[in-house]
Amino acid sequence: MEISQKQKLRFEMKELRNGLDIVSVEALSDQIVSRFMSLDLNDYQTFFVYNSFASEVQTAELIKYLLVNSKKLYMPRVEGQLMRSVPVNRDSVFIKNKYGIKEPVGEAEEINNFVAIIPCLAVDKKGNRIGYGKGYYDEFLKNKDALKIILCYDFQIVDDFMPDEFDIPVDMIITDKRCLFLNNQKEKT
């Protein structure tokens, strides 16, 4: 069986990302979250943010920032083959899912017109993302009005790969070195 380009990139990026020590993960994550906080997103009141684990860009400070600024915060919970949005506040309870990711307990709600903060293993300069291969985010974001933002380390940006037809590209990529605004094709360092 031949390994696809996406599978190869998934493996390579997981290895690179997992090679980061905790000090580097925290320092780079702080830079990325600071870049996010400098964006003018005042028109948005609702945010959907992943709960980071392992060597992913850490989202704990971003979550605190959104709650302190009275934003409506939702986090993902996997239910079967689907991902749902669950409202979160300072008192929310979390339990680990089968992947070891902490998910909020509570009633899921449908959301629209929101900012989606999405993890990845790799992303190209057109906003095509490679995740863990389950398709949860692509299915969740289908037919939703959302500003889709990837948080990743700069080395996770690759030149190009062939997306699948169900892949949903993102609108913005924020790294430790730059912000790529994909709708207008401009870059901010």
Side-chain angles (χ1 to χ4, degrees), residues 3-176:
I3 296 176
S4 75
Q5 180 189 22
K6 284 178 84 171
Q7 289 171 313
K8 187 177 179 207
L9 276 170
R10 191 175 279 125
F11 176 78
E12 289 172 0
M13 287 300 171
K14 203 181 278 189
E15 289 290 310
L16 276 172
R17 204 182 67 189
N18 289 341
L20 293 172
D21 60 50
I22 189 64
V23 173
S24 297
V25 167
E26 289 174 358
L28 293 170
S29 294
D30 286 348
Q31 292 173 27
I32 294 164
V33 169
S34 289
R35 283 186 191 283
F36 175 86
M37 290 179 193
S38 72
L39 297 173
D40 181 13
L41 297 174
N42 293 328
D43 291 344
Y44 290 93
Q45 294 304 311
T46 305
F47 291 77
F48 180 78
V49 181
Y50 70 93
N51 203 358
S52 56
F53 81 109
S55 59
E56 288 180 333
V57 172
Q58 302 298 292
T59 57
E61 289 304 313
L62 174 58
I63 290 165
K64 286 180 197 171
Y65 170 81
L66 293 170
L67 289 172
V68 164
N69 285 284
S70 302
K71 301 295 184 180
K72 291 179 190 168
L73 180 63
Y74 292 81
M75 296 180 78
R77 181 175 64 217
V78 173
E79 296 177 0
Q81 298 301 310
L82 299 175
M83 189 167 64
R84 305 282 186 209
S85 50
V86 179
V88 173
N89 60 44
R90 291 181 184 148
D91 300 322
S92 292
V93 175
F94 293 83
I95 56 172
K96 283 188 179 180
N97 68 12
K98 63 184 177 181
Y99 304 110
I101 302 167
K102 290 181 181 179
E103 297 180 322
V105 174
E107 198 67 36
E109 296 177 6
E110 286 297 318
I111 57 174
N112 220 345
N113 191 25
F114 60 99
V115 175
I117 307 298
I118 306 167
C120 76
L121 286 169
V123 62
D124 71 13
K125 292 178 181 176
K126 296 176 189 166
N128 297 306
R129 160 189 175 274
I130 296 177
Y132 294 95
K134 302 291 183 188
Y136 291 123
Y137 279 89
D138 294 311
E139 183 62 30
F140 175 77
L141 293 167
K142 187 171 62 177
N143 302 319
K144 288 206 168 54
D145 180 19
L147 175 65
K148 298 168 289 299
I149 301 174
I150 290 266
L151 301 183
C152 67
Y153 307 111
D154 205 68
F155 66 77
Q156 291 177 275
I157 297 177
V158 298
D159 287 331
D160 201 13
F161 63 86
M162 181 61 70
D164 293 318
E165 74 263 0
F166 55 80
D167 288 343
I168 295 179
V170 299
D171 304 302
M172 188 183 306
I173 303 167
I174 302 175
T175 78
D176 45 295

